[in-house]
């Protein structure tokens, strides 16, 4: 390939989006990915994988932890919600640090924190220590939540961004399946109350390997340029785009490519709620919290209800019966995890063709219908309508990952400009986790008070509200350049490039 397009004084994204020419003058279809860009993607996807493992494996481990530490219902709620609460705090308190200290430093720090706390969780001596350690691991995952999106978005070509971000996000579902399968596998081979420690212990070595890999990544040239570090941004852009043969042969960035003066003045939390970004903040955060209320609310009931589909649970209180019921619940959850993965695969295929808005709206509608079917199936607690129950769960999990679960994550990292992207994406993630923590902690008690069916009907209402908010405040981000998002209009250069690519 030949360079053909190289011009001095360009933005970081223009270099990333540039397409080499073949020797006969033919354009490549879309900008090719370098080895470093793929390495960034894999190491970002690993963080989502760990999140899925930790949260969903805790559901399998909880019955054993309950016996090991003799927990009451309230203490079980603390265990279930500890990681989610940590994610909330991490996304809020640490999510913005990437705007101050850089993407790479925080990308490394959060994985070091996670490896430390997951090791401590494995050897937790009592209930209180376990809550603290799970909370600490959640803080690291919360910090990583918006960071994974940022490092992918700021290092990949615009036409590939949606699919690459969603592919990495899909590893949350892969992690959920892996966590459920790992819990089942360990229980099968070690049916002992201490088996929950082996579940968390299995995560330690992979976390350390990912930590080591992140040391060898380049920093975000977008962020460096926004801080006025022009030479460093050029060096890191060259590292990011290293190819054989070399293309581009030299990187010369425009000094005003990210407007560092504006960055220093406007990168504050209160700007998220000012007139300029209020619509963006609502669009990025409110549908996400509504989605999390549904996802984590339904996740509480999935293992128990689907045990009725997989097989009959025992009513005895012995350790063997607890492990038996736990394994049944894990089987049921694993079935839904597979549907979750299928949903994200379809979303990856459709996101650039159909668009973010249509998928989010369609997904909310499908989730509402699925929840309605599950609620109808559970009206008689002594005689579940099994086909209706199973069909409702399949529809909910598929449409959730096709639409709001994946789209809210993707959109939150696209709509804010560089200087405030960490704060905006972090706020959206932490605000969403308010719904997750509330669902994990309060929904079991609410279900006892009003019944499972009534609670599920209430969750149908949240999906309807999700549709309304998306239509009222949303705008399409497909084809929008990461250089200048946040105003609800695609960047002309990105639109022209998308048209050229389609042609």
């Amino acid at each position: 390939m030949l360079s053909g397009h190289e011009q001095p004084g360009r933005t970081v994204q223009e270099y990333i989006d540039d397409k080499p020419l073949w020797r006969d003058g033919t354009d490549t279809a879309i900008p090719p990915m370098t080895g470093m860009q793929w390495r960034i993607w894999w190491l970002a996807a690993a963080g989502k994988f760990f999140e899925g493992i930790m949260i969903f494996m805790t559901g399998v481990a909880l019955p054993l932890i309950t016996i090991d530490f003799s927990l009451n219902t309230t203490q079980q709620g603390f265990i279930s919600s500890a990681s989610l609460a940590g994610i909330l705090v991490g996304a809020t308190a640490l999510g913005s640090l990437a705007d101050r200290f850089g993407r790479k430093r925080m990308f490394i720090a959060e994985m070091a924190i996670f490896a430390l706390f997951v090791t401590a969780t494995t050897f937790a001596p009592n209930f209180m220590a376990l809550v603290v350690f799970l909370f600490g691991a959640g803080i690291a995952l919360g910090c990583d939540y918006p960071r994974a999106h940022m490092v992918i978005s700021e290092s990949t070509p615009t036409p590939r961004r949606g699919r690459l971000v969603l592919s990495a996000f899909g590893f949350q579902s892969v992690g959920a399946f892996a966590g459920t399968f790992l819990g089942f596998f360990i229980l099968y081979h070690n049916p002992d109350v201490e088996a929950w420690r082996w579940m968390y212990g299995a995560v330690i070595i992979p976390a350390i390997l990912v930590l080591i890999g992140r040391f060898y990544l380049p920093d975000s040239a977008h962020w460096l340029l926004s801080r006025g570090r022009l030479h460093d941004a050029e060096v890191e852009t060259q590292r990011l785009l290293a190819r054989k043969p070399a293309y581009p042969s030299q990187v010369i960035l425009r000094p005003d490519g990210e407007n560092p003066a504006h960055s220093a003045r406007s990168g504050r939390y209160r700007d998220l709620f000012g007139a300029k970004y209020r619509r963006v903040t609502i669009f990025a955060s409110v549908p996400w919290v509504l989605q999390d209320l549904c996802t984590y609310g339904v996740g509480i009931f999935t293992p128990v209800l689907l045990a009725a589909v997989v097989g009959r649970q025992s009513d005895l209180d012995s350790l063997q019966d607890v492990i038996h019921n736990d394994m049944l619940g894990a089987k049921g959850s694993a079935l839904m995890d597979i549907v979750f993965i299928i949903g994200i695969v379809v979303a990856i295929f459709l996101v650039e063709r159909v668009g973010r808005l249509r998928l989010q709206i369609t997904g909310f509608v499908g989730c509402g219908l699925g929840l309605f079917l599950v609620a109808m199936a559970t009206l008689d607690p002594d005689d579940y309508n099994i086909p209706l129950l199973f069909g409702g769960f399949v529809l909910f999990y598929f449409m959730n990952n096709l639409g709001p679960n994946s789209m809210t994550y993707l959109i939150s990292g696209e709509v804010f400009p560089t200087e405030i992207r960490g704060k905006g994406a972090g706020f959206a993630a932490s605000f969403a986790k308010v719904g997750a923590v509330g669902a994990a902690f309060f929904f079991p008690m609410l279900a006892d008070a009003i019944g499972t069916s009534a609670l599920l009907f209430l969750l149908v209402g949240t999906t309807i509200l999700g549709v309304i908010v998306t239509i009222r405040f949303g705008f399409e981000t497909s084809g929008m350049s990461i250089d200048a998002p946040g105003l609800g209009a695609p960047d002309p250069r990105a639109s022209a490039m998308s048209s050229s690519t389609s042609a």
Side-chain angles (χ1 to χ4, degrees):
M1 281 188 270
L2 301 174
S3 59
H5 293 275
E6 294 181 34
Q7 300 172 5
R10 307 164 76 190
T11 68
V12 174
Q13 196 62 39
E14 285 173 338
Y15 273 108
I16 294 174
D17 288 344
D18 201 5
K19 297 180 293 184
L21 292 174
W22 292 100
R23 292 187 181 277
D24 62 1
T26 304
D27 269 323
T28 52
I30 55 176
M33 293 276 285
T34 67
M36 183 61 76
Q37 287 173 314
W38 281 118
R39 186 183 302 177
I40 290 171
W41 181 86
W42 278 109
L43 292 173
K48 309 309 300 173
F49 180 79
F50 291 141
E51 180 194 347
I53 277 189
M54 289 297 292
I55 292 176
F56 285 84
M57 191 166 60
T58 297
V60 180
L62 183 59
L64 303 179
I65 296 171
T66 299
I67 295 176
D68 198 10
F69 294 146
S70 302
L71 304 184
N72 56 39
T73 304
T74 301
Q75 290 172 322
Q76 291 177 36
F78 275 107
I79 296 293
S80 298
S81 60
S83 294
L84 295 173
I87 291 175
L88 187 157
V89 173
T92 304
L94 303 181
S96 64
L97 295 182
D99 291 336
R100 180 178 179 183
F101 297 109
R103 313 315 196 210
K104 180 179 178 178
R105 287 182 183 178
M106 295 308 300
F107 206 41
I108 293 171
E110 64 207 22
M111 190 52 56
I113 295 171
F114 175 74
L116 175 65
F117 277 104
V118 77
T119 302
T121 297
T122 303
F123 300 99
N126 52 52
F127 158 72
M128 186 55 66
L130 181 59
V131 171
V132 171
F133 298 152
L134 287 173
F135 181 78
I139 287 178
L141 294 173
C143 185
D144 193 77
Y145 211 92
R147 196 86 60 252
H149 191 317
M150 282 191 290
V151 297
I152 294 174
S153 296
E154 294 180 358
S155 63
T156 54
T158 300
R160 294 178 180 263
R161 186 180 68 232
R163 290 179 177 177
L164 288 170
V165 171
L166 288 185
S167 297
F169 180 70
F171 272 75
Q172 182 189 59
S173 300
V174 176
F177 177 79
T180 305
F181 176 80
L182 181 63
F184 177 85
F185 179 82
I186 291 174
L187 278 175
Y188 182 81
H189 290 280
N190 182 30
D192 183 76
V193 72
E194 292 282 322
W196 67 269
R197 298 185 185 274
W198 288 100
M199 296 179 193
Y200 292 111
V203 182
I204 297 173
I205 292 178
I208 292 174
L209 293 176
V210 171
L211 170 61
I212 294 172
R214 290 185 176 187
F215 275 95
Y216 297 94
L217 299 180
D219 208 342
S220 167
H222 287 278
W223 177 80
L224 291 168
L225 195 58
S226 76
R227 308 298 289 184
R229 296 168 57 181
L230 178 62
H231 175 69
D232 291 339
E234 291 173 339
V235 170
E236 296 298 76
T237 302
Q238 196 79 61
R239 283 188 64 199
L240 177 70
L241 301 178
R243 301 179 176 96
K244 290 184 179 181
Y247 176 77
S249 58
Q250 185 180 15
V251 172
I252 302 175
L253 297 174
R254 278 208 314 265
D256 62 345
E258 297 281 349
N259 198 349
H262 175 77
S263 172
R265 183 174 65 254
S266 298
R268 299 169 296 186
Y269 264 118
R270 65 185 183 186
D271 294 323
L272 297 174
F273 311 101
K276 185 176 182 180
Y277 296 120
R278 187 180 301 120
R279 175 189 175 187
V280 172
T281 303
I282 293 173
F283 179 37
S285 58
V286 175
W288 200 351
V289 73
L290 294 171
Q291 181 274 138
D292 267 13
L293 277 171
C294 289
T295 300
Y296 291 94
V298 173
I300 292 169
F301 307 119
T302 300
V304 175
L305 295 180
L306 284 182
V309 177
V310 179
R312 181 173 298 278
Q313 296 193 75
S314 172
D315 296 324
L316 301 178
D317 295 325
S318 69
L319 174 61
Q320 290 78 9
D321 290 330
V322 170
I323 292 176
H324 170 72
N325 291 347
D326 200 13
M327 292 174 69
L328 285 177
K331 286 181 180 179
S333 295
L335 290 173
M336 294 304 102
D337 291 337
I338 293 174
V339 176
F340 229 42
I341 294 172
I342 295 173
I344 193 67
V345 170
V346 176
I348 292 167
F349 179 75
L350 295 178
V351 65
E352 301 296 354
R353 302 186 180 194
V354 177
R356 280 70 154 157
L357 276 184
R358 288 182 180 178
L359 287 179
Q360 183 159 304
I361 292 169
T362 303
F364 267 126
V365 172
C367 286
L369 180 58
L371 288 175
F372 180 80
L373 295 178
V374 174
M376 293 296 294
T378 58
L379 285 174
D380 184 355
D382 297 321
D383 186 20
Y384 291 154
N385 186 323
I386 301 300
L388 200 62
L389 177 71
F390 187 78
F393 271 126
V394 168
L395 180 61
F396 172 81
Y397 277 98
F398 174 78
M399 296 301 293
N400 193 21
N401 239 13
L402 173 68
N405 190 44
S406 55
M407 293 304 120
T408 51
Y409 177 74
L410 174 59
I411 288 168
S412 69
E414 293 183 324
V415 294
F416 297 100
T418 301
E419 68 271 8
I420 203 170
R421 188 170 294 131
K423 294 179 178 65
F427 171 79
S430 61
F431 188 66
K433 288 302 170 280
V434 171
V437 173
F441 191 82
F442 293 109
F443 276 23
M445 292 179 280
L446 189 58
D448 286 340
I450 66 174
T452 298
S453 297
L455 182 55
L456 290 168
F457 281 123
L458 287 178
L459 290 177
V460 173
T462 67
T463 66
I464 297 173
L465 188 57
V467 172
I468 295 172
V469 173
T470 301
I471 293 175
R472 171 64 180 82
F473 295 98
F475 53 88
E476 186 55 62
T477 57
S478 297
M480 178 186 291
S481 172
I482 204 70
D483 278 334
L487 302 179
D491 183 78
R493 295 166 301 178
S495 299
M497 181 180 57
S498 294
S499 299
S500 174
T501 301
S502 299

